[in-house]
Amino acid sequence: MIHVITHIERTPKELIDQFRGIGTATVHEASGRKGAVDCAIKPISRGVRLCGPAFTVQCHPEDNLMLHKAIERARPGDILVASVQGYYEAGYWGGLMATSAVARKIGGLAIDGSIRDSAEIIKMGFPIFCRGFCIRGTTKTVLGLINHPILFGGVLVHPGDLILGDDDGMVVVGRMECEEVLEASIKRIEAEKTKAEKLRAGISGVELNQLEKVFKFLGLVED
Amino acid sequence: MIHVITHIERTPKELIDQFRGIGTATVHEASGRKGAVDCAIKPISRGVRLCGPAFTVQCHPEDNLMLHKAIERARPGDILVASVQGYYEAGYWGGLMATSAVARKIGGLAIDGSIRDSAEIIKMGFPIFCRGFCIRGTTKTVLGLINHPILFGGVLVHPGDLILGDDDGMVVVGRMECEEVLEASIKRIEAEKTKAEKLRAGISGVELNQLEKVFKFLGLVED
Amino acid sequence: MIHVITHIERTPKELIDQFRGIGTATVHEASGRKGAVDCAIKPISRGVRLCGPAFTVQCHPEDNLMLHKAIERARPGDILVASVQGYYEAGYWGGLMATSAVARKIGGLAIDGSIRDSAEIIKMGFPIFCRGFCIRGTTKTVLGLINHPILFGGVLVHPGDLILGDDDGMVVVGRMECEEVLEASIKRIEAEKTKAEKLRAGISGVELNQLEKVFKFLGLVED
Amino acid sequence: MIHVITHIERTPKELIDQFRGIGTATVHEASGRKGAVDCAIKPISRGVRLCGPAFTVQCHPEDNLMLHKAIERARPGDILVASVQGYYEAGYWGGLMATSAVARKIGGLAIDGSIRDSAEIIKMGFPIFCRGFCIRGTTKTVLGLINHPILFGGVLVHPGDLILGDDDGMVVVGRMECEEVLEASIKRIEAEKTKAEKLRAGISGVELNQLEKVFKFLGLVED
Amino acid sequence: MIHVITHIERTPKELIDQFRGIGTATVHEASGRKGAVDCAIKPISRGVRLCGPAFTVQCHPEDNLMLHKAIERARPGDILVASVQGYYEAGYWGGLMATSAVARKIGGLAIDGSIRDSAEIIKMGFPIFCRGFCIRGTTKTVLGLINHPILFGGVLVHPGDLILGDDDGMVVVGRMECEEVLEASIKRIEAEKTKAEKLRAGISGVELNQLEKVFKFLGLVED
Amino acid sequence: MIHVITHIERTPKELIDQFRGIGTATVHEASGRKGAVDCAIKPISRGVRLCGPAFTVQCHPEDNLMLHKAIERARPGDILVASVQGYYEAGYWGGLMATSAVARKIGGLAIDGSIRDSAEIIKMGFPIFCRGFCIRGTTKTVLGLINHPILFGGVLVHPGDLILGDDDGMVVVGRMECEEVLEASIKRIEAEKTKAEKLRAGISGVELNQLEKVFKFLGLVED
């Protein structure tokens, strides 16, 4: 069995860059409502964002050995996406690892567990999405997998998929669907601008979304 | 069955305005310790406050159809109070709905579920209390109820009741009890000022609250 | 049975002062990975810190009688460490108690439950670690214990132990181990500075931690 | 304030007796889907059932004082319905209390917390619905309320309401609605018998419930 | 989009029959530790077992429309595997549906939510794995998917995969891997018999598993 | 550091035997309400009991290496008390280990995690208290501790302490306190027999416990 796969296909950088600044909710809708990660995985501080290709890591519970290998093998811009198999209360990542990741221009970390040294990392500006903070350390003694598909916050993530995170949460877009989703996202943004203007002008959402038909079909009774 | 009731009695505006700036903990105590909403329902950002009459909405799990109807029917200043029957992980409310609510001068939203587009909504200044953020959208296909009494965060809310929210949480005051509760709140604030001065001067809380009697009755032993 | 013990041995002030500014994760590692408190107990606002000797309080669920006694008996600099036996959703501590604690120069509060009047207390600058905010009040009618050993967030705390809290969480250091842990912490900080420089220079964590030996022993296969 | 109300209106015995043997799910449907209690409150052993008028008790967390008063004041056949305000991990009820309740012919206990001496109580045949078993005792020192309306497992229960429990869970029927609900339940049982026969004969539920119309309206596509 | 796929490849019956009686833990180990379903999904009563090909169903939260379609389309022996997207507290399945499923010789139901009429269904002998019991009904108004791959209790299930359940829990085996896993399971059972004999004879598990080497490498110190 | 301590003082067998048959709730009360283990740790099947001296084991999350060592070192009658540091969803113990434990006459297992092969183990009659069942296996690669004091379900357990478990839960009695607790338990049982007779004769618990004084002091008002 090959534990570490290093040659992966990534969503192209030009495509990724066009996702920066687009909201996760918009991209989720544009994806046909796929790829929404469990809401409990949040940015370490308001305004922190993730945007880059997934570099997946499967750790053993309370062990961060594979994260060290991942930092060594990831490319600039990659987002480490680490599953820790449901053992959340350990600090799998800390200040030194963030220092190294910044030095190697890694794009960020999304982890289904806790991290520590949060104040220092926020100051450093290294973007992290995680379940929380925990000072308990981990062992470095059990093997895991790198760049195998993983389940992350209820979503199946393949290496190279687009990872997008903002204050609302995280969304994963399949590598081959990025182009289509980008297009749909841009259209959606345009449509929402028009809708927002109409709503600002006082038109109701019921009118705008033609919900009266729905209410009628369902037999709504108003007093 | 009438799904949507639009003619409701509201706590009078003059009364409501006098509650602005009073803390929820004070009002809760002044109410005889009634009406405290489940602590997990929090402001979307520190400092956000709610103060207005309840406009209640009962949604089906993962469906926000009735919220659209509610925006259309609510009056300026109303607080939409929406129960979603225990299915929290969906974004029942987003940027466009907030845009419309602001245009219609709705006073805010309290929802027993999640919302999305949080950054945009915080910027807009539209006040929301919710369980969290979630990018997953909802359907718009199932009927619910408007301005029927609802259970919200463990409290029975009637339309027109006073809704008050601050950093500590939310409290609901029955419409007919608002006057009495306001009076008791003001008295309590006065009393607390006097107490605070005494405590600042070094008198202990045990003295101030005459707890020595209690300790004696209970048989406290100190070394 | 003696409920309230007032004569306790405290970690010496000179020692405590040297812990200020050291991170909890560092101290936890320097302690041999002991004393980490449950991650759900957090500072009331980013940047709030605790550093002082434990003054332990055992309250009955939904009753804060013993906290009033504790404020009266604690010495300047003491950290009240209060267990509430698993009943979290009550505001065991509020603005008036904080006012009194500030007047008496108490060093802070760590409580395994909720508090209220959070905005006022943050403004006051009184440091608190707690599970959350809750406007529900408590009774003042049931006895508890002061300065008996308590279980706090999964850690056995003896009166006088060092309590340290920062954005990452809380750690408890046994009174007799503080000197040794301080020394180990300082060494660790030095070592981490050297490591950080190397990592910044591009050396990988795998190299720095000599993990290749571990990977080899475990039979890692890379493509 | 009156803590203990003893003169309450109860659902008539003749009516109650007709509910024995009817399933909770049926009654819940016949009630217009109202009154379903939180599923975590279960019978202490398979097959245990509750059927009787509610005698409501509001206890303080970790205190069972009012349950003793309730045993003294309840009438034969009454179901004690006790809320303990969210503090579940205490044994509010044990073998001696069950012995007394049996002696006084009390109909059963529904409690939103834990109990102890479960083996002995099951042997005795006294029916209990609870959240679980816990050996920790309680205090007997704080007042509560008897026969005030209470929130129980998410349902507002008035004294005298019908309480029905079986392996599926619990349902509460308003005292004034019992007659109507009984009738609707019996009709439903008849209808279900007919339906069951058709289903046994091989007719599908889609046919039986005329769901093809729904599928058509919703635009179902089958391969 | 095609909602309902009816033509699926199933694990062959001859293969399935050989899995009957093999324990889930054994099969899970023989699969290379893949396919274990979330432990909270349990048999409705001790001793209930599932063994058959998956017929997957994706329901909307609190809606069981697609289950009716599934009963109509499934073949004898199929196990309905239904995801309800995280809304557990509703009775998605009841006595009438079980009656119909029995009439159509469906092999069982695995559902990531609750069911009702449990006593009646246990008596009927229709095997179900679920999260619990709940008397609350559902709507029949929202479309879902049939025989698309689904996430079920943390496992990706494809239609036709082998579903196996016993008192310990559930495991899913990929259709194409069943033959290999069966072989490995049988070998494992043989090996375990030999091991059990040795253990019964007094040989320790440390010896049997040659763990002394591991302890030595890890530097175990015994007094 | 010594990982495995084998020479421990045990509660004497004669003393232990006298605890068999006494209920955990009684012993807990007789201990001054100390030693109650978290209620979520339950017998694997109704009627299973534990009674013996603690042989403590500290495992790494998702690793059962030390349990194998423990089976080898424990004496007949010992109860293995194993903490797994909060990672519950793994089967740390199975049929082969139970076979070996039975062969070596080990008294039982109390584990703060899950086990597997439950049906087989129940048939074998080996008594286990655990959080649940899980088919996922563990590694055997990380060291832990044997017969060091451990936190188990919220209780500090020292090797040799008395472990008692029944349908209500588990209680731990300090080795040096067993004699005193046994005596108090027997007295309590006698007293309860007398009380039960009085209650059966119709005397109320209020009378029996002289609660009228309490109600009077607290100012109870009855209608």
Side-chain angles (χ1 to χ4, degrees):
Chain A
M1 179 193 218
I2 295 168
H3 302 94
V4 181
I5 297 169
T6 44
H7 302 287
I8 61 170
E9 295 289 325
R10 289 168 172 84
T11 307
K13 201 179 168 311
E14 311 75 58
L15 211 49
I16 286 173
D17 286 342
Q18 294 179 69
F19 276 99
R20 289 187 209 285
I22 305 187
T24 52
T26 298
V27 171
H28 179 244
E29 289 289 337
S31 302
R33 300 200 164 176
K34 287 186 308 189
V37 169
D38 182 344
C39 310
I41 303 174
K42 295 173 206 292
I44 45 169
S45 136
R46 269 236 149 234
V48 163
R49 294 180 59 94
L50 288 179
C51 184
F55 188 95
T56 71
V57 188
Q58 179 76 57
C59 292
H60 187 82
E62 205 186 59
D63 190 285
N64 73 352
L65 180 64
M66 297 314 285
L67 280 168
H68 289 278
K69 175 57 75 181
I71 296 173
E72 203 183 31
R73 292 285 178 261
R75 290 216 199 132
D78 282 354
I79 308 293
L80 308 184
V81 180
S83 160
V84 299
Q85 296 189 51
Y87 188 74
Y88 306 144
E89 291 225 350
Y92 291 86
W93 182 276
L96 284 178
M97 293 168 88
T99 302
S100 178
V102 167
R104 286 155 178 276
K105 299 194 169 41
I106 289 174
L109 168 72
I111 187 162
D112 186 23
S114 302
I115 64 120
R116 58 187 190 176
D117 303 328
S118 60
E120 181 189 344
I121 293 173
I122 291 170
K123 223 164 124 187
M124 239 181 247
F126 182 73
I128 296 183
F129 276 58
C130 61
R131 289 207 179 250
F133 306 139
C134 183
I135 62 175
R136 281 191 200 94
T138 62
T139 49
K140 289 186 185 62
T141 53
V142 194
L143 283 191
L145 303 170
I146 285 183
N147 285 327
H148 289 243
I150 58 169
L151 262 178
F152 183 82
V155 177
L156 192 67
V157 183
H158 291 87
D161 285 353
L162 172 71
I163 301 298
L164 202 70
D166 63 16
D167 287 339
D168 282 355
M170 281 179 65
V171 67
V172 181
V173 186
R175 187 170 59 84
M176 303 305 293
E177 299 164 45
C178 280
E179 203 150 351
E180 192 185 344
V181 171
L182 177 63
E183 220 171 288
S185 298
I186 290 167
K187 268 190 201 148
R188 200 174 158 88
I189 291 168
E190 287 312 312
E192 296 219 333
K193 268 188 203 156
T194 319
K195 279 189 177 181
E197 270 164 46
K198 287 184 184 162
L199 292 168
R200 255 180 239 113
I203 288 170
S204 80
V206 172
E207 269 179 275
L208 203 65
N209 297 298
Q210 296 180 289
L211 296 176
E212 280 307 352
K213 287 193 303 193
V214 178
F215 285 123
K216 203 173 164 187
F217 171 76
L218 296 171
L220 182 83
V221 181
E222 298 201 50
D223 70 356
Chain B
M1 178 192 219
I2 296 169
H3 302 94
V4 181
I5 297 169
T6 45
H7 302 287
I8 62 170
E9 296 289 326
R10 288 167 173 85
T11 306
K13 200 179 169 311
E14 312 74 59
L15 211 49
I16 284 173
D17 286 342
Q18 295 179 68
F19 275 100
R20 288 186 210 285
I22 305 187
T24 52
T26 298
V27 171
H28 179 244
E29 289 290 337
S31 301
R33 300 199 164 176
K34 288 186 307 188
V37 169
D38 183 346
C39 311
I41 303 174
K42 296 173 206 290
I44 43 169
S45 134
R46 268 239 148 230
V48 163
R49 294 180 59 93
L50 289 179
C51 183
F55 188 95
T56 71
V57 187
Q58 179 75 58
C59 291
H60 188 81
E62 205 187 59
D63 190 286
N64 74 352
L65 180 64
M66 298 314 284
L67 280 168
H68 290 278
K69 175 56 76 180
I71 296 173
E72 202 183 33
R73 291 287 178 259
R75 292 219 199 129
D78 281 354
I79 308 294
L80 308 184
V81 181
S83 161
V84 298
Q85 296 188 55
Y87 188 74
Y88 306 145
E89 293 226 349
Y92 291 87
W93 182 275
L96 284 178
M97 293 168 88
T99 302
S100 179
V102 167
R104 286 154 178 276
K105 300 196 169 37
I106 288 174
L109 168 72
I111 186 163
D112 186 24
S114 302
I115 64 121
R116 58 187 190 176
D117 303 327
S118 60
E120 180 187 345
I121 294 173
I122 290 170
K123 222 164 127 188
M124 241 180 245
F126 183 73
I128 296 182
F129 276 57
C130 62
R131 287 203 180 252
F133 306 139
C134 182
I135 62 175
R136 282 190 199 94
T138 61
T139 50
K140 288 186 186 60
T141 53
V142 194
L143 282 192
L145 303 171
I146 284 182
N147 285 326
H148 290 244
I150 59 168
L151 262 178
F152 182 81
V155 177
L156 192 67
V157 183
H158 291 86
D161 284 352
L162 172 71
I163 301 299
L164 202 71
D166 63 17
D167 287 337
D168 282 354
M170 281 179 65
V171 67
V172 181
V173 186
R175 186 171 58 85
M176 303 305 293
E177 299 164 45
C178 280
E179 203 152 350
E180 193 185 344
V181 170
L182 177 64
E183 220 171 286
S185 298
I186 291 168
K187 268 191 200 148
R188 200 176 158 88
I189 290 168
E190 288 311 312
E192 295 219 332
K193 268 187 203 158
T194 317
K195 279 188 176 180
E197 271 163 45
K198 286 185 183 163
L199 292 168
R200 253 180 240 116
I203 288 171
S204 79
V206 172
E207 268 179 274
L208 202 65
N209 297 298
Q210 296 179 289
L211 296 177
E212 279 310 350
K213 285 193 303 192
V214 178
F215 286 123
K216 202 173 164 188
F217 172 76
L218 296 171
L220 182 84
V221 180
E222 299 202 49
D223 69 356
Chain C
M1 178 192 219
I2 295 169
H3 302 94
V4 181
I5 296 170
T6 44
H7 303 288
I8 62 170
E9 297 289 325
R10 289 168 172 85
T11 307
K13 199 179 171 310
E14 310 75 57
L15 212 48
I16 286 173
D17 286 342
Q18 296 179 66
F19 275 99
R20 287 186 211 286
I22 304 187
T24 52
T26 297
V27 171
H28 179 244
E29 289 290 338
S31 300
R33 300 200 164 177
K34 287 187 307 188
V37 169
D38 182 346
C39 310
I41 303 175
K42 296 173 206 290
I44 44 170
S45 136
R46 267 238 151 232
V48 163
R49 294 180 59 93
L50 288 180
C51 184
F55 188 95
T56 70
V57 188
Q58 178 75 58
C59 291
H60 188 81
E62 205 186 61
D63 190 286
N64 73 352
L65 181 64
M66 297 315 284
L67 280 168
H68 290 278
K69 176 55 78 180
I71 296 173
E72 203 183 30
R73 292 285 178 261
R75 291 217 198 131
D78 282 354
I79 308 294
L80 308 184
V81 180
S83 160
V84 299
Q85 296 188 52
Y87 189 74
Y88 305 144
E89 293 226 349
Y92 290 87
W93 182 275
L96 284 179
M97 293 168 88
T99 302
S100 180
V102 167
R104 286 157 176 274
K105 302 194 166 41
I106 289 173
L109 168 72
I111 187 163
D112 185 24
S114 302
I115 63 119
R116 58 188 191 176
D117 302 329
S118 60
E120 180 189 345
I121 293 173
I122 290 171
K123 222 164 126 187
M124 239 181 247
F126 182 73
I128 296 183
F129 276 59
C130 61
R131 288 204 180 252
F133 305 140
C134 182
I135 63 175
R136 280 189 200 95
T138 61
T139 49
K140 288 186 187 61
T141 54
V142 194
L143 282 191
L145 303 171
I146 285 183
N147 286 327
H148 290 243
I150 59 169
L151 263 179
F152 182 82
V155 177
L156 192 67
V157 183
H158 291 87
D161 285 352
L162 172 70
I163 301 298
L164 202 71
D166 63 17
D167 287 338
D168 281 355
M170 280 179 65
V171 66
V172 180
V173 186
R175 186 171 58 85
M176 303 305 293
E177 300 163 45
C178 280
E179 203 152 349
E180 192 184 343
V181 170
L182 177 62
E183 221 170 289
S185 299
I186 291 169
K187 270 193 199 146
R188 200 175 158 88
I189 292 169
E190 288 311 311
E192 297 219 330
K193 268 188 203 156
T194 317
K195 279 187 176 182
E197 270 163 46
K198 288 185 182 160
L199 293 168
R200 253 181 240 114
I203 289 170
S204 80
V206 172
E207 267 178 276
L208 201 64
N209 297 297
Q210 296 178 288
L211 295 176
E212 279 309 351
K213 285 192 305 191
V214 178
F215 286 124
K216 201 172 165 189
F217 172 76
L218 296 170
L220 182 83
V221 180
E222 298 202 50
D223 69 356
Chain D
M1 178 193 218
I2 295 169
H3 302 95
V4 181
I5 296 170
T6 45
H7 302 286
I8 61 170
E9 296 288 326
R10 288 169 173 83
T11 307
K13 200 178 170 311
E14 311 75 58
L15 212 48
I16 286 174
D17 286 342
Q18 296 179 67
F19 276 99
R20 289 187 209 284
I22 304 186
T24 51
T26 298
V27 171
H28 179 243
E29 289 290 337
S31 300
R33 301 200 164 176
K34 286 186 309 188
V37 168
D38 182 345
C39 311
I41 302 174
K42 295 175 207 291
I44 44 169
S45 134
R46 269 238 149 230
V48 163
R49 294 181 58 94
L50 288 180
C51 184
F55 188 94
T56 70
V57 187
Q58 177 75 59
C59 292
H60 187 82
E62 206 186 59
D63 190 286
N64 74 351
L65 180 63
M66 299 314 285
L67 280 167
H68 290 277
K69 177 55 79 180
I71 296 172
E72 203 183 33
R73 293 284 178 261
R75 289 217 200 132
D78 282 354
I79 308 293
L80 307 185
V81 181
S83 159
V84 299
Q85 296 190 51
Y87 188 74
Y88 306 143
E89 293 224 349
Y92 291 86
W93 181 275
L96 285 178
M97 294 167 87
T99 302
S100 179
V102 167
R104 287 156 177 275
K105 302 195 167 37
I106 289 174
L109 168 71
I111 187 162
D112 185 23
S114 302
I115 63 119
R116 56 186 191 177
D117 302 329
S118 60
E120 181 188 344
I121 294 173
I122 290 170
K123 223 164 124 185
M124 240 180 249
F126 183 73
I128 297 183
F129 276 59
C130 61
R131 289 203 179 252
F133 305 139
C134 182
I135 62 175
R136 281 190 200 95
T138 61
T139 50
K140 290 186 185 60
T141 53
V142 194
L143 282 191
L145 304 170
I146 285 182
N147 285 327
H148 290 243
I150 59 167
L151 264 177
F152 182 82
V155 177
L156 192 67
V157 183
H158 290 86
D161 285 353
L162 172 71
I163 301 299
L164 202 71
D166 63 16
D167 287 339
D168 282 355
M170 281 178 64
V171 68
V172 182
V173 186
R175 186 170 57 86
M176 304 304 294
E177 299 164 45
C178 280
E179 205 153 347
E180 192 185 344
V181 169
L182 177 63
E183 221 172 287
S185 298
I186 290 167
K187 268 191 200 149
R188 200 175 159 88
I189 291 168
E190 288 311 311
E192 297 219 332
K193 269 187 203 157
T194 318
K195 281 188 176 179
E197 271 163 47
K198 290 186 181 159
L199 292 168
R200 254 181 241 116
I203 289 170
S204 80
V206 171
E207 267 178 276
L208 201 66
N209 297 297
Q210 296 179 288
L211 294 177
E212 280 308 350
K213 285 193 304 192
V214 178
F215 286 124
K216 201 173 167 188
F217 171 76
L218 296 171
L220 182 83
V221 181
E222 296 202 51
D223 70 356
Chain E
M1 178 193 219
I2 295 168
H3 302 94
V4 181
I5 296 169
T6 45
H7 303 288
I8 62 170
E9 297 288 326
R10 287 166 173 84
T11 306
K13 201 179 166 311
E14 311 75 57
L15 211 48
I16 285 173
D17 286 342
Q18 297 180 67
F19 275 99
R20 287 187 212 284
I22 305 186
T24 52
T26 298
V27 171
H28 178 243
E29 289 290 337
S31 301
R33 302 201 163 176
K34 286 186 306 185
V37 168
D38 183 345
C39 311
I41 302 173
K42 295 173 207 293
I44 45 168
S45 135
R46 268 238 150 230
V48 164
R49 294 181 59 94
L50 289 178
C51 183
F55 188 95
T56 70
V57 187
Q58 179 75 57
C59 292
H60 188 81
E62 207 187 56
D63 191 285
N64 73 353
L65 180 63
M66 298 315 284
L67 281 168
H68 290 277
K69 175 56 77 182
I71 295 172
E72 203 183 32
R73 291 285 177 261
R75 292 219 196 129
D78 283 354
I79 308 294
L80 308 185
V81 181
S83 161
V84 300
Q85 296 189 52
Y87 188 74
Y88 306 142
E89 293 225 348
Y92 291 87
W93 182 274
L96 284 178
M97 294 167 89
T99 302
S100 178
V102 167
R104 287 157 177 274
K105 301 194 169 39
I106 289 174
L109 168 72
I111 187 162
D112 185 25
S114 302
I115 64 119
R116 56 187 191 177
D117 302 328
S118 59
E120 180 188 346
I121 293 173
I122 290 171
K123 224 164 122 187
M124 240 181 245
F126 182 73
I128 297 184
F129 276 58
C130 61
R131 290 204 178 253
F133 306 139
C134 182
I135 62 176
R136 281 190 199 95
T138 61
T139 50
K140 288 187 185 61
T141 53
V142 194
L143 283 190
L145 303 170
I146 283 182
N147 285 327
H148 289 244
I150 59 168
L151 262 177
F152 182 81
V155 177
L156 192 68
V157 183
H158 291 86
D161 285 352
L162 171 71
I163 301 299
L164 201 70
D166 63 16
D167 287 338
D168 282 355
M170 282 179 64
V171 66
V172 181
V173 186
R175 187 171 57 86
M176 304 305 292
E177 299 163 46
C178 280
E179 204 151 348
E180 190 185 347
V181 170
L182 177 64
E183 217 170 291
S185 298
I186 290 168
K187 269 191 199 149
R188 200 175 158 87
I189 291 168
E190 288 311 311
E192 297 218 332
K193 269 186 203 158
T194 317
K195 280 188 177 182
E197 271 163 47
K198 288 185 182 163
L199 292 168
R200 254 182 238 116
I203 288 171
S204 79
V206 171
E207 268 178 275
L208 202 65
N209 297 296
Q210 296 178 290
L211 296 176
E212 279 309 349
K213 285 192 305 192
V214 178
F215 285 124
K216 201 172 166 189
F217 172 75
L218 296 171
L220 182 83
V221 181
E222 297 202 50
D223 70 354
Chain F
M1 179 192 218
I2 295 169
H3 302 94
V4 181
I5 296 170
T6 44
H7 302 287
I8 61 169
E9 295 289 325
R10 289 168 171 84
T11 307
K13 200 177 169 311
E14 311 76 57
L15 212 49
I16 286 174
D17 285 342
Q18 296 179 67
F19 276 99
R20 289 187 209 284
I22 305 186
T24 52
T26 298
V27 172
H28 178 242
E29 289 290 338
S31 301
R33 301 200 163 176
K34 287 184 307 187
V37 168
D38 183 346
C39 310
I41 302 174
K42 294 175 208 291
I44 44 168
S45 137
R46 266 237 152 231
V48 164
R49 294 181 58 93
L50 289 180
C51 184
F55 188 95
T56 71
V57 187
Q58 178 75 58
C59 291
H60 188 81
E62 206 186 60
D63 189 286
N64 73 353
L65 180 63
M66 297 315 283
L67 280 167
H68 290 278
K69 175 56 78 181
I71 296 172
E72 202 183 34
R73 293 283 178 262
R75 291 216 200 132
D78 283 353
I79 308 293
L80 307 185
V81 180
S83 160
V84 299
Q85 296 190 54
Y87 188 75
Y88 305 144
E89 292 225 348
Y92 291 87
W93 182 275
L96 284 179
M97 294 168 87
T99 301
S100 179
V102 167
R104 288 157 175 273
K105 303 196 168 37
I106 289 174
L109 168 72
I111 187 163
D112 186 24
S114 302
I115 64 118
R116 57 186 191 178
D117 302 328
S118 59
E120 180 189 344
I121 293 173
I122 290 170
K123 224 164 123 188
M124 239 181 250
F126 183 73
I128 297 184
F129 276 59
C130 61
R131 289 203 178 254
F133 306 139
C134 182
I135 63 175
R136 279 188 201 95
T138 61
T139 50
K140 288 186 188 58
T141 53
V142 194
L143 282 191
L145 303 172
I146 284 182
N147 285 327
H148 290 244
I150 58 168
L151 263 178
F152 182 82
V155 177
L156 192 67
V157 183
H158 291 87
D161 284 353
L162 172 71
I163 301 299
L164 202 71
D166 64 16
D167 287 340
D168 282 355
M170 282 179 63
V171 67
V172 182
V173 186
R175 185 171 59 86
M176 304 303 294
E177 299 164 45
C178 280
E179 204 152 349
E180 192 184 344
V181 170
L182 176 64
E183 220 171 288
S185 299
I186 291 168
K187 269 191 200 149
R188 203 178 156 87
I189 291 168
E190 288 311 312
E192 297 218 330
K193 268 187 203 158
T194 318
K195 281 188 175 181
E197 271 164 46
K198 289 186 182 162
L199 293 168
R200 255 181 237 115
I203 289 171
S204 79
V206 171
E207 265 179 276
L208 203 65
N209 298 295
Q210 296 180 288
L211 295 176
E212 279 309 349
K213 285 192 305 191
V214 178
F215 286 124
K216 201 172 165 188
F217 172 75
L218 295 171
L220 182 84
V221 181
E222 298 202 50
D223 70 354

